[in-house]
Amino acid sequence: MSRVFLTWAVTHSVKEVQSEDSVLLFVVAWTITEIIRYSFYTFSLLNHLPYLIKWARYTLFIVLYPMGVSGELLTIYAALPFVRQSGLYSISLPNKYNFSFDYYTFLILVMISYIPIFPQLYFHMLHQRRKVLSHSEEHKKPE
């Protein structure tokens, strides 16, 4: 969901951030991640998973995940002044629905949500790495 949100609701919608280095940061992280992920899935389906691809799937996230998250957060942060100035996607009162929405505040809340969510997902992946790669190492030991 964060990829759709960052791609459409931030980067596409706020043209001024499209040339930010932070966009390149998350796009590179996402691209490498997807190449590894789909290689992993493909070779797994073929029942011929090279250890290098398994290792890459459960190791490179250590750098790629923080890199992607940093790019995402920096891009949202760069979009904030433009969102505030333009009132992008915001709905002000009064209106016939008696409802208001401030996209600027929403973006700040999204950024804050990374604080509890990122460590939980990152440590889950570290746990998965330990489980999957240590299991592989046990099978590689000569008896």
Side-chain angles (χ1 to χ4, degrees), residues 59-79:
T59 301
L60 294 182
F61 81 89
I62 294 169
V63 173
L64 293 172
Y65 198 11
M67 183 174 139
V69 166
S70 297
E72 293 171 20
L73 289 171
L74 289 169
T75 301
I76 296 170
Y77 183 76

Side-chain angles (χ1 to χ4, degrees), residues 119-130:
Q120 184 178 10
L121 295 175
Y122 192 75
F123 288 121
H124 171 73
M125 283 302 295
L126 285 173
H127 175 74
Q128 289 297 106
R129 178 182 190 275
R130 192 169 29 254

Side-chain angles (χ1 to χ4, degrees), residues 89-95 97-103:
Y89 302 135
S90 296
I91 302 169
S92 301
L93 285 171
N95 60 53
Y97 302 109
N98 200 27
F99 172 80
S100 69
F101 175 75
D102 184 31
Y103 190 54

